Amino acid sequence: MSLLTECYRRLTDRSSSDIPLRGYKVTDVNRTRKVGIACRSLDELKQKACEKFDVTDDLDEIGIFLIDGSEIDDDYFATLEPQTLLILRKPGEVILTDADILYQMLRKANDQLLRDGEKASEYFSGKLKERIEKLNKVLSKDDSKVLSSRREDHPEWFDGLETNAQTKEAYLHRRCQDRIRGYLYKTIEQIRSSETYDDVKARKQLQRVIVYFKQQLRQDHFFGYYFDRNCAVQPKDSDESSTDDETDSAKRCPYDDCPCKMDDSIYEQYILGLDDVEDDDEVDAKRIPAASPEKKRKVDESRQEVEKREFLEAEKECTFKITDRKRAEKIALCDSKGEFQCRGVWNRDSCFYEDKHRINPYRSKEELVFFSTWNLDHKIERSRTLVPQLLEAAKKGNIDQKFATELYENLFTAKNLRIVHIVCHDKGSHK
């Protein structure tokens, strides 16, 4: 960088104290560990990430990359969305894309099938239906430990996972919660970046809806039970049919890290995706205004303070009723063994590939990795339909309990969400 360019950058850049903290996820090239980093610049992210991963190389030799292998510079870093997953690369290391990692997992699952270039080429270049059939056979080979639950009974399943979970059910419960949390985060971000949010009357209504979403999701445990096979439909048992059992045990949560057990400050960090920050970053994360995800447009500190006060008022004025679900409503999307079946493209009643699109992330580490490519797909789209409907209602000033509840159900529940294989996930407009 020339001296003239550097001088211009210093003159035009805002001071670091004026730049809001943003949270990112950082992992190493082997994806063996992931940490949350709250920072204001690329250099600060590098410094904190190196501390977390015990890297002592010169910061100038450290590279930060997207998961597709693209290297990040200062200019591009400023355009990144909060919670973007980034890779820290030390000198001499090679970046592995998601495709590389999946391929390695498949080799480990069945090296006989993918042992040389000719067979690998045949595998990936064949007809789609044939590839799915072969992949299904690879992933469904060993059922011996599918019913094992605890870490000590199936240690290879937990190998490399950065989690304190002691059971498969607890781990997948949290993974589902994180997916639903992502929908909440993106919904809030889209609301705040809209022109409607600048209207004072509409903003008050929208803030009350956001408060309602956060409170109701906390009550619903962020629907973690969708991936929890302990919540799968079981044969009817007369001993479990009492009213007391449904009303009382349904309110008990077996997971210590569930949002329902978090205090308010930690819960706000969870919504921002900063719940797993450590040490100094935890202190940094608490400086981020509560319930204030980064908007796409820049806002000054005075505006943020106004929003904080407005949300405190919204919490007091929110009259939307928070309801509790009975145990009979808390049903997993898998069977009692943990197997999921694709529900098909959004405009079909079933999956075109029928039994070929099945997966059990409880069976093996390989299937757990591949399950991350399956989607909880909105039939009625969140960004193109549901949030615009909310913004339009806020303009008209007619958001009532019925509307808010229906919108909540469509945004976050299986009423409008379906589990689908990546092949059946249509990213085009749902019309």
Side-chain angles (χ1 to χ4, degrees):
M1 181 181 293
S2 68
L3 179 60
L4 181 60
T5 304
E6 176 64 16
C7 290
Y8 178 78
R9 184 187 66 80
R10 293 184 178 182
L11 287 171
T12 56
D13 281 0
R14 295 181 297 169
S15 66
S16 60
S17 61
D18 292 334
I19 302 174
L21 278 166
R22 294 189 295 181
Y24 301 93
K25 303 288 187 180
V26 181
T27 185
D28 58 4
V29 294
N30 296 317
R31 316 291 180 89
T32 57
R33 185 184 176 200
K34 182 165 61 176
V35 299
I37 300 291
C39 63
R40 294 183 173 87
S41 68
L42 180 59
D43 285 341
E44 184 179 4
L45 182 138
K46 285 184 179 181
Q47 180 180 359
K48 291 186 175 183
C50 286
E51 292 175 359
K52 298 298 182 185
F53 290 99
D54 296 323
V55 175
T56 58
D57 297 277
D58 190 328
L59 287 184
D60 291 337
E61 299 179 354
I62 298 299
I64 300 296
F65 294 77
L66 295 175
I67 58 175
D68 66 2
S70 302
E71 187 169 9
I72 303 300
D73 60 14
D74 290 294
D75 292 335
Y76 192 76
F77 179 78
T79 69
L80 293 180
E81 294 290 336
Q83 308 316 315
T84 300
L85 177 61
L86 303 172
I87 301 173
L88 181 147
R89 189 197 68 180
K90 297 185 291 185
E93 291 184 325
V94 177
I95 296 292
L96 295 178
T97 66
D98 283 349
D100 294 327
I101 293 176
L102 178 56
Y103 178 76
Q104 289 182 356
M105 287 296 183
L106 291 175
R107 285 194 65 92
K108 186 184 294 184
N110 195 333
D111 191 59
Q112 184 65 32
L113 177 63
L114 304 173
R115 69 188 310 171
D116 55 49
E118 182 179 350
K119 288 188 178 181
S121 177
E122 178 184 352
Y123 177 76
F124 286 109
S125 62
K127 293 181 180 180
L128 180 60
K129 191 169 183 178
E130 293 175 356
R131 292 204 306 268
I132 293 170
E133 291 175 352
K134 290 181 179 179
L135 182 59
N136 189 61
K137 291 178 181 178
V138 170
L139 297 180
S140 304
K141 185 177 180 180
D142 185 3
D143 256 348
S144 61
K145 293 188 177 181
V146 67
L147 295 180
S148 298
S149 175
R150 299 194 62 79
R151 184 185 290 265
E152 57 266 29
D153 297 327
H154 198 170
E156 57 270 30
W157 191 92
F158 289 88
D159 185 39
L161 297 182
E162 283 294 318
T163 177
N164 293 323
Q166 296 303 308
T167 66
K168 297 176 182 178
E169 292 80 7
Y171 180 80
L172 283 161
H173 187 99
R174 185 54 178 261
R175 296 287 69 78
C176 186
Q177 289 178 324
D178 288 344
R179 293 199 190 195
I180 300 298
R181 182 265 306 273
Y183 292 145
L184 173 64
Y185 181 93
K186 292 176 181 178
T187 297
I188 295 174
E189 184 176 290
Q190 186 175 351
I191 291 172
R192 289 185 167 183
S193 62
S194 68
E195 294 181 359
T196 305
Y197 196 72
D198 292 328
D199 179 86
V200 176
K201 291 183 178 180
R203 184 168 66 247
K204 287 185 177 182
Q205 292 189 81
L206 292 169
Q207 287 170 338
R208 292 168 190 167
V209 171
I210 290 173
V211 168
Y212 166 64
F213 286 169
K214 293 197 298 183
Q215 292 176 347
Q216 186 63 61
L217 278 172
R218 201 174 188 179
Q219 185 74 16
D220 286 327
H221 311 280
F222 277 73
F223 299 98
Y225 49 81
Y226 284 157
F227 289 179
D228 187 344
R229 65 182 177 184
N230 284 340
C231 299
V233 176
Q234 301 287 351
K236 291 185 178 180
D237 188 330
S238 58
D239 293 336
E240 297 180 355
S241 60
S242 69
T243 302
D244 290 341
D245 186 57
E246 286 190 350
T247 56
D248 293 336
S249 65
K251 297 180 181 179
R252 303 192 193 108
C253 180
Y255 302 114
D256 292 336
D257 64 349
C258 181
C260 74
K261 296 182 179 180
M262 297 176 182
D263 62 37
D264 291 342
S265 62
I266 299 300
Y267 179 55
E268 295 298 341
Q269 288 180 226
Y270 173 73
I271 294 174
L272 289 169
L274 294 169
D275 55 303
D276 55 355
V277 294
E278 305 169 351
D279 305 325
D280 294 337
D281 285 324
E282 183 172 357
V283 177
D284 286 347
K286 289 179 180 177
R287 296 180 191 142
I288 298 176
S292 182
E294 289 294 325
K295 292 181 290 185
K296 293 181 180 178
R297 66 181 187 273
K298 297 176 182 178
V299 294
D300 57 27
E301 292 182 2
S302 61
R303 174 65 180 273
Q304 292 180 13
E305 289 300 320
V306 170
E307 279 197 308
K308 287 170 63 177
R309 291 195 297 271
E310 288 177 345
F311 268 99
L312 289 174
E313 293 177 3
E315 289 179 358
K316 296 177 182 178
E317 298 173 358
C318 182
T319 58
F320 298 125
K321 183 180 179 182
I322 306 302
T323 59
D324 185 41
R325 298 177 192 272
K326 294 183 178 181
R327 187 184 64 176
E329 299 177 272
K330 300 179 179 181
I331 303 298
L333 302 180
C334 60
D335 64 20
S336 59
K337 289 185 177 181
E339 183 170 88
F340 293 81
Q341 181 176 6
C342 175
R343 298 305 175 187
V345 181
W346 66 273
N347 57 356
R348 290 179 56 89
D349 293 331
S350 60
C351 177
F352 177 79
Y353 297 95
E354 299 178 345
D355 288 345
K356 301 300 187 297
H357 278 186
R358 287 180 176 271
I359 192 168
N360 190 335
Y362 289 87
R363 179 182 287 115
S364 66
K365 180 64 174 295
E366 291 73 32
E367 282 193 77
L368 176 64
V369 170
F370 194 70
F371 184 62
S372 66
T373 69
W374 283 52
N375 291 273
L376 275 176
D377 188 30
H378 286 92
K379 184 175 181 180
I380 304 173
E381 295 174 284
R382 174 189 58 80
S383 61
R384 292 188 179 106
T385 303
L386 295 175
V387 175
Q389 286 178 353
L390 171 60
L391 297 175
E392 186 62 28
K395 288 180 183 178
K396 297 177 180 179
N398 57 357
I399 300 179
D400 56 16
Q401 177 75 54
K402 181 180 179 181
F403 178 87
T405 301
E406 183 176 358
L407 184 67
Y408 175 87
E409 295 288 318
N410 282 326
L411 282 170
F412 306 114
T413 80
K415 174 184 178 181
N416 189 45
L417 289 171
R418 50 169 53 184
I419 188 76
V420 296
H421 187 284
I422 188 172
V423 171
C424 293
H425 183 209
D426 183 2
K427 294 185 178 180
S429 179
H430 293 188
K431 294 182 179 179

